[in-house]
């Protein structure tokens, strides 16, 4: 599918789902999960740090990594991909934004009601009693090479506080998953942006949309194989999304 054909299909859509992964925030300077880590965490695959086992085995290593990411997000700005997605709401009858990202860059670009399938860096909670906490970041600058940090204790039960994200092996938040499924089943245009499609169940969403007859378009800067019924636009999210919108809604 060419950019123009995707734009025509987007223009005719009644309900659009935009589904984003780490590639959507990469150009804001947030490393993707498949990028190699450096410094304190260089011996780790990010997927290894995103587990309950990693947190239990070495809480300060794991908590330090998430707090470092949280600070990185705080210092980052939304990019043109986030802005184009926020702008899309003005052009289509219905838009649902579903993200695997744990940052708030969609919201800061102006998208409202973003469905976060993998939680948020900004909602840490007690590992024992589940109480959510609002925590100020412990550093003003980004520690060079990363920093170990002891997780704070819960004010209610003294348990350890953990990041408010979904780790491998954990269930997705039920409400978010159900809302995403409902949108995916109703949509007629599904735009997947900057995701490797390797992590389930989120990676099922494009297939479900396809099964329901939606046009499915993947935007990624690295080409990968898609079925003959799906479409692929190769290029960076911050370049491809504004171009797609300009062509669809000149
Ligand atoms: P990944 O890091 O697996 O993949 C990022 C994708 O973005 C890759 O396919 C890149 O080619 C693409 N990409 C990178 N930069 C891009 C750019 N500027 N424009 C367009 N595409 C770009 O990230 P996710 O697919 O989001 O889960 O990973 C899914 C989940 O796995 C994450 O939510 C996280 C992770 O482990 C949990 O932590 C549970």
């Amino acid at each position: 599918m060419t950019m123009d054909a995707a734009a025509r299909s987007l223009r005719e859509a009644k309900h659009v789902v935009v589904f984003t992964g780490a590639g959507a925030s990469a150009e804001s300077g947030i490393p993707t999960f498949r990028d190699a880590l450096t410094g304190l965490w260089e011996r780790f695959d990010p997927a290894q740090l995103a587990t309950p086992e990693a947190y239990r085995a070495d809480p300060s290593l794991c908590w330090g990594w998430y707090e470092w990411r949280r600070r990185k997000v705080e210092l980052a700005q939304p990019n043109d991909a986030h802005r184009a997605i926020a702008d899309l709401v003005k052009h289509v009858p219905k838009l649902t934004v579903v993200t695997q990202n744990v940052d708030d860059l969609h919201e800061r670009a102006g998208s409202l009601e973003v469905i976060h399938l993998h939680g948020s860096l900004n909602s840490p909670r007690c590992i024992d009693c589940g109480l959510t906490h609002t925590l100020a970041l412990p550093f003003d600058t980004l520690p060079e090479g990363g920093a170990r940090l002891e997780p704070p204790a819960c004010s209610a039960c003294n348990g350890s506080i953990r990041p408010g994200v979904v780790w491998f092996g954990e269930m997705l938040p039920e409400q978010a998953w159900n809302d995403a499924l409902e949108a995916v089943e109703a949509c007629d245009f599904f735009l997947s942006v900057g995701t490797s499609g390797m992590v389930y169940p989120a990676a099922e969403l494009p297939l479900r949309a396809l099964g329901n007859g939606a046009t499915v378009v993947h935007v990624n800067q690295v080409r990968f194989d898609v079925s003959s019924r799906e479409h692929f636009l190769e290029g960076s999210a911050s370049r491809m999304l504004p171009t797609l919108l300009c062509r669809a809604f000149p």
Side-chain angles (χ1 to χ4, degrees):
M1 184 184 247
T2 61
M3 178 66 86
D4 283 331
R8 271 196 302 279
S9 178
L10 178 59
R11 187 160 53 232
E12 285 157 16
K14 304 272 180 295
H15 183 170
V16 176
V17 169
V18 178
F19 172 58
T20 59
S25 295
E27 290 162 278
S28 294
I30 310 302
T32 72
F33 286 88
R34 315 293 154 207
D35 283 336
L37 294 175
T38 53
L40 179 60
W41 304 291
E42 73 182 350
R43 289 178 298 107
F44 297 89
D45 169 349
Q48 268 180 279
L49 292 165
T51 66
E53 292 75 30
Y55 181 86
R56 267 188 237 105
D58 195 340
S60 66
L61 184 83
C62 179
W63 179 255
W65 184 60
Y66 277 100
E67 288 293 79
W68 174 83
R69 280 185 79 85
R70 188 155 73 103
R71 180 63 180 148
K72 229 175 157 44
V73 168
E74 196 179 69
L75 293 171
Q77 294 303 325
N79 65 53
D80 286 345
H82 299 110
R83 280 189 281 274
I85 293 165
D87 199 40
L88 187 55
V89 77
K90 297 181 208 143
H91 301 288
V92 295
K94 187 165 171 61
L95 172 69
T96 309
V97 180
V98 181
T99 188
Q100 298 165 86
N101 298 341
V102 294
D103 61 51
D104 59 355
L105 295 173
H106 282 302
E107 287 87 346
R108 280 160 55 197
S111 287
L112 307 167
E113 296 184 34
V114 178
I115 298 176
H116 281 270
L117 292 180
H118 291 164
S120 159
L121 288 170
N122 287 320
S123 56
R125 65 175 189 274
C126 174
I127 200 161
D128 292 331
C129 74
L131 185 72
T132 54
H133 290 262
T134 304
L135 299 175
L137 271 159
F139 26 70
D140 296 331
T141 53
L142 273 174
E144 187 66 37
R148 279 176 174 277
L149 271 179
E150 204 54 49
C154 173
S155 50
C157 76
N158 213 33
S160 293
I161 293 178
R162 57 158 284 178
V165 303
V166 175
W167 279 328
F168 287 99
E170 295 185 320
M171 301 285 287
L172 267 49
E174 202 178 334
Q175 183 76 50
W177 179 241
N178 289 341
D179 290 350
L181 283 183
E182 196 180 309
V184 165
E185 274 155 24
C187 77
D188 52 356
F189 190 95
F190 185 98
L191 184 63
S192 172
V193 182
T195 174
S196 59
M198 284 163 59
V199 177
Y200 284 81
E204 273 175 36
L205 294 179
L207 303 173
R208 286 189 182 239
L210 196 64
N212 283 306
T215 299
V216 174
V217 178
H218 298 269
V219 173
N220 201 297
Q221 69 177 18
V222 179
R223 181 163 282 280
F224 55 78
D225 287 337
V226 295
S227 74
S228 59
R229 292 187 299 141
E230 292 165 273
H231 306 284
F232 196 94
L233 296 175
E234 185 176 341
S236 82
S238 76
R239 198 166 53 81
M240 300 305 268
L241 266 69
T243 307
L244 180 62
L245 255 79
C246 266
R247 301 268 177 98
F249 311 104

